[in-house]
Amino acid sequence: MADTKEKQEKQEKQPKKGGADAGAAPRGKESKGKDKDQKGKKPKKGPDGGAPAPAQPEGPPPEPAPRPRLREHYEQRVRAKLQQQFGFTNPHQIPRLVKIVLNVGMGAAQKNPKALETAVAELGAITGQQPVVTRAKKAIANFNLREGMPIGCAVTLRAARMYEFLDRFITIAVPRMRDFRGLPANSFDGRGNYTVGIKEQMIFPEIDYDKVEQIHGMDITIVTTAGRDDAAMALLRELGMPFRGEAPVAVA
């Protein structure tokens, strides 16, 4: 009997296999295993198997910009009037605007680089588009000009910005010209393109008088698909261009 009691006491003192102490992993190993699992995980892919979709911004989507007023006027009134006036049978023959090019020449840019930087900033404020710096195509010794020197800046406007700029130019900038009596009607190039020169950039309301360092002009070229001067002139007249000796057409 005594031997059986001693055996039972020895068995109770020994730890049982599979218990909490035996199955517990040593400290540190569990955290290392989790780190490895996180490092091995791949980023979630999108539904098409590519890059994950970006997070959608909160709030309602932005409203689309309204169409330019001058473009609506051209499509609703000017097109039909030009087709009737010139007897176009194909709607693609009706002249329309293609682009507007603004060019600023700065002959003193090589001596005063800051003047060119100011002209670029002013042209960008007028058009709402970043200008391109134009450079000399060939060297001219009489003007101390080398090939590749910066001599000005230019901007090409198309689509909505073209119509918005032309609307502001006709209704706001042109009436602010000094001693204005109308734009010249003989500035067409024979292929339906019109060019007008501006002596001062301050006629545009985007220019601040107090920040103007140098007064300079610019050339504005309006390119159309007319192919002939009379059709191009009729197009610009219907868009409200105030030619000399004529009453401008009111744009609704």
Side-chain angles (χ1 to χ4, degrees):
M1 293 293 292
D3 296 337
T4 55
K5 287 182 180 180
E6 289 177 1
K7 289 181 180 180
Q8 289 178 358
E9 290 176 359
K10 289 180 181 179
Q11 290 177 358
E12 289 176 359
K13 290 180 180 180
Q14 292 178 358
K16 295 181 181 180
K17 295 181 180 181
D21 297 336
R27 294 181 180 179
K29 292 185 179 180
E30 186 177 357
S31 59
K32 290 180 180 179
K34 289 183 180 180
D35 295 340
K36 290 182 180 179
D37 294 341
Q38 292 177 357
K39 291 180 180 179
K41 287 183 180 179
K42 296 181 180 180
K44 296 182 180 180
K45 296 183 179 181
D48 56 349
Q56 297 182 356
E58 298 180 359
E63 298 181 358
R67 300 190 68 187
R69 180 178 69 107
L70 203 61
R71 187 168 190 171
E72 294 286 345
H73 174 73
Y74 168 76
E75 294 178 354
Q76 295 177 4
R77 301 184 181 183
V78 177
R79 283 180 59 88
K81 194 169 184 179
L82 292 177
Q83 187 174 11
Q84 182 180 4
Q85 179 179 352
F86 293 95
F88 295 125
T89 57
N90 190 338
H92 295 287
Q93 293 177 321
I94 303 174
R96 58 182 176 82
L97 298 179
V98 177
K99 61 183 177 180
I100 297 178
V101 181
L102 290 83
N103 182 27
V104 177
M106 298 291 294
Q110 53 183 347
K111 297 180 181 179
N112 188 7
K114 189 177 180 181
L116 180 59
E117 295 178 2
T118 304
V120 170
E122 291 176 350
L123 191 59
I126 292 171
T127 59
Q129 186 171 312
Q130 181 63 29
V132 176
V133 176
T134 56
R135 300 182 180 274
K137 294 182 179 180
K138 61 180 181 179
I140 302 176
N142 294 335
F143 297 101
N144 295 328
L145 189 64
R146 295 180 181 178
E147 183 179 356
M149 276 189 174
I151 55 175
C153 55
V155 169
T156 300
L157 303 177
R158 301 177 188 270
R161 287 184 179 178
M162 172 184 64
Y163 283 100
E164 290 175 355
F165 170 78
L166 185 60
D167 193 4
R168 289 185 285 111
F169 176 72
I170 293 173
T171 57
I172 300 176
V174 168
R176 299 177 64 178
M177 289 184 181
R178 188 178 303 175
D179 299 331
F180 178 70
R181 297 181 181 179
L183 297 176
N186 58 353
S187 296
F188 290 90
D189 63 350
R191 292 174 291 180
N193 304 322
Y194 182 76
T195 302
V196 60
I198 305 299
K199 295 181 179 180
E200 298 178 353
Q201 79 276 26
M202 293 184 296
I203 64 173
F204 295 97
E206 294 84 2
I207 303 300
D208 189 0
Y209 287 89
D210 299 332
K211 297 181 180 180
V212 173
E213 298 181 0
Q214 182 179 354
I215 297 176
H216 61 81
M218 67 183 68
D219 293 329
I220 301 176
T221 302
I222 303 174
V223 181
T224 69
T225 61
R228 20 188 284 202
D229 292 348
D230 56 346
M233 187 173 182
L235 169 63
L236 297 180
R237 184 187 296 113
E238 294 298 329
L239 291 177
M241 189 74 76
F243 288 108
R244 192 168 299 166
E246 300 180 1
V249 177
V251 179

